[in-house]
């Protein structure tokens, strides 16, 4: 019997500290069997100390028939192997086209997670609709940049998120973060958490 296509989660993230969140229980629940950095330039490879040569194609390599197993890198710092962003700038058109290749049945994969920097979300746009569910990982300890506001406006306009497919806004910060900051953030999130079942109202402490 032919295997079914993998389920796909799209996890938007605000900071390259994302691997720390993925190793927390909430992050591991979103990780699946394969992580795919959907970015036009490398970022997570620097955090993971994984070298990506200039000729490494990232997920765009699927367009040329490169096997997922060849593209994916295992890392002790992640709960699943990862296809990193291409070693050199890559066309957004190529990344968008490659995402549909992830829908092909593969006996090795039951669940795939797209890791999408909020700075590239608008560029990838409607191609992200391949995902079955969406979530946001927010490094609440990092100083907010205007990109965060731009992303919020885009996601509201794009209407990708629904009550059925939204897997939550996950605020995380290094263990030992300021209690006052945590309290302020909890106050801001509490009204939303009261309206959305399962929505986390506080900060997840992560080891970095």
């Amino acid at each position: 019997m032919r295997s079914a296509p993998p389920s796909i989660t799209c996890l938007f993230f605000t900071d390259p500290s994302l691997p720390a969140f993925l190793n927390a229980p909430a992050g591991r629940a979103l990780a699946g069997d394969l992580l795919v950095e959907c970015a036009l330039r490398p970022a997570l490879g620097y955090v993971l100390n994984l070298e990506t040569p200039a000729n490494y194609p990232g997920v765009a390599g699927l367009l040329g028939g490169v096997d997922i197993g060849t593209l994916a890198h295992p890392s002790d710092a992640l709960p699943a192997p990862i296809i990193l962003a291409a070693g050199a700038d890559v066309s957004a058109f190529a990344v968008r086209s490659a995402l549909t290749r992830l829908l092909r049945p593969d006996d090795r994969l039951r669940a795939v997670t797209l890791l999408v920097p909020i700075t590239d979300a608008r560029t990838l746009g409607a191609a992200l609709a391949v995902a079955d569910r969406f979530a946001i990982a927010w490094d609440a300890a990092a100083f907010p940049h205007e990109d965060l506001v731009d992303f919020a406006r885009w996601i509201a306009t794009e209407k990708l998120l629904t009550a059925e497919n939204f897997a939550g806004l996950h605020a995380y910060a290094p263990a030992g973060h300021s209690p006052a900051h945590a309290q302020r953030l909890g106050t801001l999130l509490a009204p939303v958490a009261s309206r959305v079942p399962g929505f986390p109202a506080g900060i997840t402490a992560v080891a970095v």
Side-chain angles (χ1 to χ4, degrees):
M1 185 174 67
R2 189 179 181 186
S3 59
S7 63
I8 296 183
T9 296
C10 177
L11 178 60
F12 298 106
F13 66 96
T14 66
D15 193 271
S17 63
L18 178 69
F21 167 72
L22 290 171
N23 281 310
R28 285 195 296 271
L30 296 170
D33 306 308
L34 177 70
L35 303 167
V36 181
E37 184 182 11
C38 298
L40 306 184
R41 298 171 186 83
L44 297 180
Y46 298 117
V47 179
L48 299 168
N49 290 318
L50 291 175
E51 183 178 357
T52 49
N55 63 349
Y56 174 73
V59 70
L62 297 177
L63 297 174
V66 181
D67 183 69
I68 283 177
T70 301
L71 294 170
H73 294 269
S75 171
D76 292 338
L78 290 172
I82 184 170
I83 297 178
L84 294 163
D89 288 3
V90 63
S91 162
F93 178 73
V95 175
R96 289 195 297 258
S97 299
L99 295 184
T100 59
R101 303 297 176 96
L102 294 169
L103 293 171
R104 294 178 175 178
D106 189 318
D107 291 335
R108 298 167 293 182
L109 302 175
R110 291 173 299 171
V112 174
T113 299
L114 312 179
L115 307 178
V116 182
I118 61 169
T119 51
D120 289 338
R122 182 186 296 273
T123 301
L124 296 177
L128 299 174
V130 299
D132 302 292
R133 63 175 180 166
F134 298 85
I136 302 168
W138 171 27
D139 185 340
F143 291 109
H145 191 268
E146 62 183 355
D147 291 336
L148 189 59
V149 176
D150 292 341
F151 170 75
R153 290 172 177 155
W154 172 80
I155 204 73
T157 302
E158 197 71 17
K159 301 189 186 306
L160 282 174
L161 308 184
T162 67
E164 290 74 29
N165 69 21
F166 185 46
L169 166 66
H170 300 271
Y172 67 95
H177 59 273
S178 164
H181 179 64
Q183 184 176 11
R184 286 194 296 270
L185 186 60
T187 300
L188 288 172
L189 295 178
V192 182
S194 67
R195 296 195 303 269
V196 182
F199 191 97
I203 300 177
T204 299
V206 297
V208 294

